[in-house]
């Protein structure tokens, strides 16, 4: 759909991520092998390129699903997002801080201007806070669009809302498991996985209207499996930890087997 701006945004994000990954690997290889050709330009490019990918997310929310803002007055937000993006990029370009490099290596920013250090910090602050506010505004626009919509458009927005809710729940799980590094890292990985795969999938379904009305089935299955996972976890932890603590044998294999058996029997029907 060449007239839909969302497709072009996704193409831009993919290109930015590809260039960023290539630059990162090229710079790392060059630093460790001593071959410095193109290392500094690519490290400089990588220092601000990611901003473009991040700023595309609120634009997707604002333009979803038809590639246009909800109304003419929301067009000002498109320009605001572009302005905050430009400020953030200029902040990184002028920053006197060194470029990102592997541990043990230092790379100076070739476009840094020391007398403009405060201006660079101001650009980064205004660009960051403004981008965050613009993202909230874009999400608000999506909610308002959903409230006013009906039929196909409402179903289209529900797909994206489903992905957003899933990402929010995973993020909450990440915050709730700060004490366990392995589980926390798993939640953190799932959060980016949901965003990286869920948003393009939901948007693709919405734009192409392929299996558009399957969202109700997806939501029902999600609730069933989430309830199943929660029940299994609660019962297992309750038996192994609770009963185990009562008998003074928290690591007993028999208790683990009993918990697994109870869970299996409970859900066998």
């Amino acid at each position: 759909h060449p007239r839909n701006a969302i497709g072009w945004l996704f193409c831009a994000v993919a290109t930015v991520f590809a260039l960023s990954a290539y630059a990162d690997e090229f710079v790392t290889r060059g630093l460790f092998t001593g071959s410095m050709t193109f290392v500094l330009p690519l490290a400089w490019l990588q220092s601000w390129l990611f901003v473009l990918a991040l700023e595309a997310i609120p634009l997707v929310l604002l333009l979803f699903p038809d590639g246009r803002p909800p109304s003419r007055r929301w067009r000002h937000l498109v320009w605001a997002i572009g302005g905050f993006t430009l400020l953030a990029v200029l902040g990184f370009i002028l920053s006197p801080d060194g470029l990102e490099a592997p541990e043990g290596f230092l790379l100076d920013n070739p476009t840094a201007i020391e007398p403009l250090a405060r201006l660079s910090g101001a650009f980064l602050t205004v660009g960051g806070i403004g981008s965050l506010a613009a993202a909230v505004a874009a999400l608000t626009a999506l909610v308002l669009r959903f409230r006013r919509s009906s039929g196909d458009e409402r179903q289209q927005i529900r797909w994206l809302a489903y992905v957003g809710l899933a990402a929010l729940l995973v993020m909450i799980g990440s915050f709730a498991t700060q004490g366990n590094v392995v589980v926390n890292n798993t939640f953190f990985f799932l959060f980016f996985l949901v965003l990286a795969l869920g948003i393009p999938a939901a948007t693709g379904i919405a734009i192409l209207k392929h299996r558009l009305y399957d969202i109700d089935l997806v939501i029902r299955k999600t609730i069933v499996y989430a309830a199943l996972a929660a029940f299994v976890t609660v019962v297992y932890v309750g038996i192994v930890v609770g009963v185990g603590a009562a008998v003074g044998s928290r690591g007993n294999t028999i208790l683990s087997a009993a918990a697994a058996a109870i869970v299996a029997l409970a859900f066998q029907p």
Side-chain angles (χ1 to χ4, degrees):
H1 285 240
R3 294 184 181 180
N4 195 317
I6 294 177
W8 292 105
L9 285 172
F10 281 156
C11 288
V13 170
T15 302
V16 166
F17 273 121
L19 287 174
S20 181
Y22 172 78
D24 180 58
E25 295 299 328
F26 192 98
V27 169
T28 301
R29 179 184 180 277
L31 290 173
F32 278 99
T33 61
S35 177
M36 297 299 293
T37 306
F38 297 119
V39 165
L40 192 59
L42 286 176
W44 175 82
L45 184 68
Q46 187 191 11
S47 68
W48 56 265
L49 199 60
F50 72 96
V51 176
L52 303 181
L54 291 179
E55 296 293 349
I57 297 176
L59 278 177
V60 170
L61 297 177
L62 179 63
L63 303 178
F64 186 83
D66 57 5
R68 296 188 296 271
S71 63
R72 296 180 64 89
R73 64 178 180 177
W74 286 102
R75 292 181 181 178
H76 298 295
L77 184 57
V78 176
W79 289 102
I81 293 173
F84 292 131
T85 302
L86 180 61
L87 286 177
V89 169
L90 285 176
F92 281 109
I93 288 176
L94 298 175
S95 175
D97 297 333
L99 302 177
E100 183 178 350
E103 188 176 354
F105 295 92
L106 295 175
L107 288 175
D108 293 329
N109 184 0
T111 56
I113 302 177
E114 196 66 37
L116 298 181
R118 290 187 178 181
L119 183 61
S120 169
F123 282 165
L124 289 173
T125 301
V126 174
I129 296 176
S131 296
L132 183 60
V136 174
L139 183 59
T140 303
L142 183 65
V143 172
L144 292 176
R145 193 197 289 259
F146 177 76
R147 292 184 61 183
R148 299 169 184 169
S149 63
S150 60
D152 282 353
E153 187 178 30
R154 178 168 283 251
Q155 290 296 112
Q156 289 173 314
I157 297 175
R158 287 180 70 184
W159 272 101
L160 187 61
Y162 168 75
V163 173
L165 180 60
L168 178 62
L169 292 176
V170 174
M171 184 174 66
I172 292 174
S174 177
F175 283 119
T177 56
Q178 293 288 339
N180 190 313
V181 177
V182 176
V183 177
N184 182 256
N185 287 342
T186 301
F187 272 112
F188 194 70
F189 171 76
L190 287 175
F191 173 72
F192 282 100
L193 191 65
V194 168
L195 292 181
L197 299 181
I199 291 180
T203 305
I205 291 172
I207 293 176
L208 302 176
K209 298 184 180 180
H210 175 65
R211 305 181 70 88
L212 179 62
Y213 283 86
D214 286 351
I215 181 64
D216 296 324
L217 178 62
V218 171
I219 291 176
R220 284 199 298 270
K221 285 187 175 182
T222 300
I223 293 174
V224 169
Y225 283 109
L228 172 64
F231 182 83
V232 168
T233 303
V234 170
V235 171
Y236 189 87
V237 171
I239 294 175
V240 175
V241 177
V243 179
V247 300
S249 180
R250 192 170 295 186
N252 197 320
T253 306
I254 297 177
L255 288 175
S256 298
I262 292 174
V263 169
L265 289 174
F267 276 91
Q268 191 275 337

